[in-house]
Amino acid sequence: MSDSTAPRSGLSRRRLLTGSAAVLGAAGVGAAAASAASRPDHHSPTVPFFGTHQAGVATAPQAHAQFLALDLRPGLGADEAMALLRLWTTDAARLTAGTPALADTEPELAHAPARLTVTVGFGPTFFDRVGRADRRPASVTPLPPLRIDRLEPRWSGGDLLLRVGSDDPVTLAHAVRVLGKNVRTLATLRWSQRGFRHAVGTHPSGQTMRNLMGHLDGTVNPAPGPDLDGLVWHDGTAQPWFAGGTTMVVRRIRMLLDTWDELDPDARDLTMGRRQDNGAPLTGTSEHDEPDFTRTREGIPIIPANAHIARAHARTPAERFLRQAYNYDDPPPPGRTSEAGLIFVAYQRDVVEQFLPVQRRLAEADALNTWTTPIGSAVFAIPPGVRSDDEYLGQTLFE
Amino acid sequence: MSDSTAPRSGLSRRRLLTGSAAVLGAAGVGAAAASAASRPDHHSPTVPFFGTHQAGVATAPQAHAQFLALDLRPGLGADEAMALLRLWTTDAARLTAGTPALADTEPELAHAPARLTVTVGFGPTFFDRVGRADRRPASVTPLPPLRIDRLEPRWSGGDLLLRVGSDDPVTLAHAVRVLGKNVRTLATLRWSQRGFRHAVGTHPSGQTMRNLMGHLDGTVNPAPGPDLDGLVWHDGTAQPWFAGGTTMVVRRIRMLLDTWDELDPDARDLTMGRRQDNGAPLTGTSEHDEPDFTRTREGIPIIPANAHIARAHARTPAERFLRQAYNYDDPPPPGRTSEAGLIFVAYQRDVVEQFLPVQRRLAEADALNTWTTPIGSAVFAIPPGVRSDDEYLGQTLFE
């Protein structure tokens, strides 16, 4: 843990300030205090980095998360990709433990990880770039065209994915900067999306988060355990290197809050199929009641056939996946009152078998589509975790 | 508290979904559940809205804050400004207490204020727009040109200022949206800046926040009490309507982290005049030690004369003010690794007497200027608080 200060002396020394005498004068003081700067805060909760799976997927979502897509620089290939993955693995192992990165120039921002996790993914193009097209998991491919999509290139695609999450936004900003700057000669940023949920401590823990439409978001999620494991983690069939990995869909969904807010509460609830206040399906009384899509009143379904939950509901047990949504709220362009929405993230063994049938049904006829527009889309393979610091993230792809 | 649901039925009803029969079918259910939606969460801390001064100034800074500047729409004047201020006052009094706004379409996002405050300010142009140029506090005027400034119009100026702060980012997003959309016929958004500090619970409370350069930020701040009161709150001399008010400077300061990170730790500490690790002045051992600008080693000042704290240090007791900085970290433009910095906010009785001498010294010769660039600047009068719900924010200006 004290080695975070060692590489600092190897950095280029500049004497831009007041001449070298003053610098020397203060150097002893600085060195004496440096050890305090590299001490992790043992009160800050951590999520283990090493394991069969990468953290950040089945981890209880942190209050803040940033999703970044990067592209390998032109002309680079497998060697550079491996170098980049080694750097990220080293940085992630340290930062998630509350230890500053090697040569960390702001070690003080690393001491309180607040459940920091770093998750790495590979886009469809990555497999071509590194000469491993034959190892691309079959469902890791851009989603087919959907009539609801108004995709913008600035929110779509990417060779590499970084998901960085923390309950502290300062820790998050520092981790993202370290991970980004340490690979800047190897990759360029394609897009970056920051999202938020309720801050820790402001709501009862375990409560489903609310999106900016006011609705509970993520009620239907497999509980941690064998059920979730079977839905999310790849068993290595067809692609042995991918055992313990998963696939990730990131969709940036703009919410048209101005028109949404013109709807009265009943119309909003009918659009969702759930009540906004407590999240109960319109056929039930509390959030986790199973919706009854067959119940009618005077011959008319109580949950409309095109309500969001009626379309999103898994029609077979295989059509389930893990949802992990974050709110975004950016400054609006001129003439609009908001530029807000959802960073919708889904994890599943197989995009085509689990996620796509549901997405297709929503695209065909979801009452909510009037007030939501997908403006970004990307699919990534999330390689398995690393078991020890002899390994690097994605290593099995290259073996 | 239950009246938040009453105005809902007055909104335009749309039958966009499945025909009126289904809507009628669910209406009873929706109405029965509505009362649960308007209940404030009594576990969430609140900051009193009513008082001699507006909240959000001397309030311990929340983890998240958004600063928004708005311009009155062309042709509007005092009558419309008063209408806008009445709307904001009503909304702010309710939202800060955990009660949804009138006609709140997302009442569920209002129940956990998490120390929500709403603070309103008037830019120099506002006084002209409302025909009260003679009542503008003299120091509420754009700062004079400073050679370090590279001001961008999109981060500068504005008729009206909203500062909204909360420890919960979802509560904050909702409050900002309510306040913005309820006045959209009266004012347009000029700029919006969102900032963050450490999340509550991730660091010991009362600890000085760190900025993204890694340094403690805000060490030198008057302690709450008579000292702060005298520095911050206007006593009504010259402008009786302004008694209990203050002035606010908002500067958006870009940090050039790429070149900053090339400096070795000692050079960084000499630039600041403080140690990055524990914030102690270079002549002391802990953060709150008084710096000794006269101490030398081998004839050379230990704190360089152009170190940031040497230039920022108040040379007279009158040159002090209340600092309230927030970090920002936006997606970088192509070719850059970060677009980060500080939303620097200063509160003082008088901008010219207290803030400007310090700002001028920093602009002339602050070693830190190499790595920081002010890209936005605005000055506002923060009118006094309201004592009861018979009053509205800024009312004394119009009396």
Side-chain angles (χ1 to χ4, degrees):
Chain A
M1 282 176 269
S2 63
D3 52 355
S4 67
T5 57
R8 286 174 144 207
S9 56
L11 296 176
S12 69
R13 292 206 158 227
R14 293 190 177 189
R15 296 283 176 260
L16 294 169
L17 297 170
T18 52
S20 57
V23 171
L24 289 169
V29 182
S35 60
S38 57
R39 235 184 287 138
D41 172 0
H42 291 294
H43 300 288
S44 186
T46 56
V47 175
F49 174 72
F50 296 104
T52 310
H53 313 298
Q54 287 195 63
V57 175
T59 306
Q62 299 96 337
H64 302 273
Q66 196 160 345
F67 300 85
L68 303 98
L70 295 93
D71 292 328
L72 280 178
R73 287 187 182 271
L76 304 190
D79 287 348
E80 293 85 358
M82 285 187 275
L84 176 148
L85 292 166
R86 282 197 182 92
L87 285 166
W88 275 355
T89 304
T90 305
D91 287 343
R94 298 176 66 95
L95 290 170
T96 55
T99 308
L102 294 169
D104 198 323
T105 46
E106 287 82 21
E108 299 82 5
L109 303 183
H111 296 147
R115 302 200 304 123
L116 179 73
T117 59
V118 175
T119 316
V120 171
F122 303 151
T125 50
F126 181 78
F127 295 90
D128 301 319
R129 295 292 305 274
V130 301
R132 297 292 189 281
D134 56 320
R135 291 192 166 191
R136 179 176 55 77
S139 79
V140 176
T141 181
L143 299 184
L146 297 161
R147 50 181 282 276
I148 52 172
D149 285 0
R150 298 291 176 275
L151 302 186
E152 302 175 14
R154 64 177 175 141
W155 302 120
S156 301
D159 289 344
L160 288 154
L161 178 281
L162 263 182
R163 179 202 182 277
V164 189
S166 172
D167 289 328
D168 182 60
V170 180
T171 297
L172 176 63
H174 174 253
V176 167
R177 175 155 170 82
V178 167
L179 293 161
K181 74 179 178 179
N182 285 354
V183 304
R184 60 186 155 189
T185 59
L186 301 170
T188 55
L189 182 67
R190 187 180 177 100
W191 51 254
S192 170
Q193 308 186 44
R194 185 157 340 152
F196 57 91
R197 298 170 150 240
H198 291 298
V200 173
T202 59
H203 289 74
S205 70
Q207 193 171 294
T208 308
M209 85 131 186
R210 285 195 185 269
N211 64 38
L212 297 179
M213 286 179 151
H215 272 267
L216 293 172
D217 201 300
T219 296
V220 178
N221 245 352
D227 186 34
L228 181 137
D229 289 352
L231 290 168
V232 169
W233 305 117
H234 207 272
D235 62 4
T237 310
Q239 292 292 359
W241 78 271
F242 200 47
T246 185
T247 70
M248 178 193 203
V249 178
V250 186
R251 305 264 294 166
R252 186 173 176 91
I253 301 174
R254 177 183 285 154
M255 292 174 168
L256 307 179
L257 294 180
D258 286 351
T259 50
W260 175 249
D261 284 351
E262 291 173 6
L263 282 184
D264 65 56
D266 297 332
R268 290 164 65 128
D269 290 355
L270 283 164
T271 302
M272 288 299 213
R274 291 186 182 278
R275 279 186 226 136
Q276 181 171 317
D277 58 354
N278 65 358
L282 297 183
T283 53
T285 55
S286 66
E287 182 191 352
H288 293 285
D289 288 350
E290 195 62 34
D292 182 351
F293 299 108
T294 65
R295 249 177 79 191
T296 59
R297 187 173 288 132
E298 299 174 25
I300 291 163
I302 290 176
I303 299 174
N306 65 346
H308 180 68
I309 65 163
R311 304 296 296 178
H313 185 72
R315 305 221 169 154
T316 73
E319 283 184 7
R320 293 176 305 145
F321 48 83
L322 178 63
R323 292 166 168 83
Q324 184 193 74
Y326 280 87
N327 299 306
Y328 75 85
D329 184 28
D330 293 342
R336 293 252 302 275
T337 62
S338 77
E339 177 59 62
L342 206 65
I343 306 169
F344 177 88
V345 179
Y347 300 100
Q348 55 281 306
R349 257 189 308 96
D350 189 289
V351 177
V352 173
E353 290 174 12
Q354 296 166 265
F355 174 80
L356 199 55
V358 175
Q359 177 64 78
R360 279 194 199 278
R361 274 201 303 276
L362 295 176
E364 281 161 17
D366 172 5
L368 192 59
N369 289 340
T370 305
W371 299 280
T372 57
T373 307
I375 58 171
S377 186
V379 178
F380 300 97
I382 306 293
V386 294
R387 264 76 51 102
S388 73
D389 55 15
D390 298 335
E391 300 175 7
Y392 64 88
L393 286 165
Q395 183 169 340
T396 53
L397 175 63
F398 298 95
E399 286 172 344
Chain B
M1 282 177 268
S2 62
D3 51 355
S4 67
T5 56
R8 285 173 144 207
S9 56
L11 297 176
S12 69
R13 293 205 158 226
R14 292 190 178 190
R15 297 283 176 261
L16 294 168
L17 297 169
T18 53
S20 58
V23 172
L24 289 170
V29 181
S35 59
S38 57
R39 235 183 287 139
D41 171 358
H42 291 295
H43 300 287
S44 186
T46 56
V47 176
F49 173 71
F50 295 104
T52 310
H53 312 298
Q54 287 194 62
V57 175
T59 306
Q62 299 96 338
H64 303 273
Q66 195 159 344
F67 300 85
L68 303 98
L70 295 93
D71 291 329
L72 279 178
R73 287 188 181 271
L76 305 190
D79 287 347
E80 294 84 0
M82 284 187 273
L84 176 148
L85 291 166
R86 283 198 182 93
L87 285 167
W88 275 354
T89 304
T90 305
D91 287 343
R94 298 178 66 97
L95 290 170
T96 55
T99 307
L102 294 169
D104 198 324
T105 47
E106 286 82 23
E108 299 82 6
L109 303 183
H111 296 148
R115 302 201 302 125
L116 179 73
T117 59
V118 176
T119 316
V120 171
F122 303 151
T125 49
F126 182 78
F127 295 90
D128 300 320
R129 295 294 306 274
V130 302
R132 298 291 188 281
D134 57 320
R135 292 192 166 191
R136 179 176 56 76
S139 79
V140 176
T141 180
L143 299 184
L146 297 163
R147 49 183 283 275
I148 53 171
D149 285 359
R150 298 291 178 271
L151 302 186
E152 301 175 15
R154 63 178 174 141
W155 302 121
S156 301
D159 289 343
L160 288 154
L161 178 280
L162 264 182
R163 179 203 182 277
V164 189
S166 173
D167 289 329
D168 182 61
V170 180
T171 297
L172 176 62
H174 174 254
V176 167
R177 177 157 168 77
V178 167
L179 294 161
K181 74 179 178 181
N182 286 355
V183 303
R184 61 186 156 190
T185 58
L186 301 170
T188 54
L189 182 68
R190 187 181 177 100
W191 49 256
S192 170
Q193 308 186 44
R194 189 163 334 159
F196 57 91
R197 298 170 151 241
H198 291 299
V200 173
T202 60
H203 290 74
S205 70
Q207 194 172 293
T208 308
M209 86 130 185
R210 284 196 186 268
N211 63 37
L212 297 178
M213 286 180 151
H215 272 266
L216 293 172
D217 201 302
T219 296
V220 178
N221 244 351
D227 186 34
L228 181 138
D229 289 352
L231 289 168
V232 169
W233 304 119
H234 207 274
D235 62 4
T237 312
Q239 293 292 358
W241 78 272
F242 200 48
T246 185
T247 69
M248 178 194 205
V249 177
V250 186
R251 306 264 293 166
R252 186 173 177 89
I253 301 174
R254 178 183 283 153
M255 292 175 169
L256 308 178
L257 294 180
D258 286 351
T259 50
W260 175 249
D261 284 351
E262 291 172 7
L263 282 184
D264 65 55
D266 298 332
R268 289 163 66 127
D269 291 355
L270 283 163
T271 302
M272 290 303 235
R274 292 186 182 277
R275 282 187 226 135
Q276 181 172 316
D277 58 353
N278 65 0
L282 298 182
T283 52
T285 55
S286 66
E287 181 191 352
H288 293 284
D289 288 350
E290 195 62 32
D292 181 351
F293 298 108
T294 65
R295 249 175 80 190
T296 59
R297 187 174 288 133
E298 299 173 26
I300 291 164
I302 290 176
I303 298 174
N306 64 348
H308 180 68
I309 66 163
R311 304 296 297 178
H313 184 72
R315 305 219 172 157
T316 73
E319 283 184 9
R320 294 176 304 145
F321 48 84
L322 178 63
R323 292 164 168 82
Q324 184 194 75
Y326 280 86
N327 299 305
Y328 74 85
D329 184 27
D330 293 342
R336 292 252 303 276
T337 63
S338 77
E339 177 60 60
L342 206 65
I343 305 168
F344 176 88
V345 178
Y347 300 99
Q348 54 281 305
R349 257 189 307 97
D350 191 289
V351 177
V352 173
E353 289 174 15
Q354 296 167 266
F355 174 81
L356 200 54
V358 176
Q359 177 64 78
R360 280 193 199 280
R361 274 202 303 277
L362 295 176
E364 280 161 15
D366 171 5
L368 193 59
N369 288 341
T370 305
W371 300 280
T372 56
T373 307
I375 58 172
S377 186
V379 178
F380 300 97
I382 306 293
V386 293
R387 264 76 51 101
S388 73
D389 55 15
D390 297 333
E391 300 175 7
Y392 64 89
L393 287 165
Q395 182 170 341
T396 53
L397 175 63
F398 298 97
E399 286 170 344

